[in-house]
Amino acid sequence: MHLMALGRRHGLSDRAIAAIIDNVRAGLADWPEIAAQAGATFSMREIAERHAEVARTFG
């Protein structure tokens, strides 16, 4: 996994890397509420497509 290698290269433990990934996933799960509060105008479909692209790129 690219993110694990990147984190390790910067001296992070596997546990810390996993926690960061979990926090990002939790934030993404809350995105509809966060976006509504912030007044974001991107469609959920467009955001989902971009998230999927990142996931394909970085594993």
Side-chain angles (χ1 to χ4, degrees), residues 38-56:
T41 59
F42 296 104
S43 75
M44 289 305 297
R45 188 182 101 272
E46 181 180 6
I47 292 166
E49 288 171 357
R50 291 189 182 188
H51 288 169
E53 182 180 332
V54 170
R56 283 191 301 274

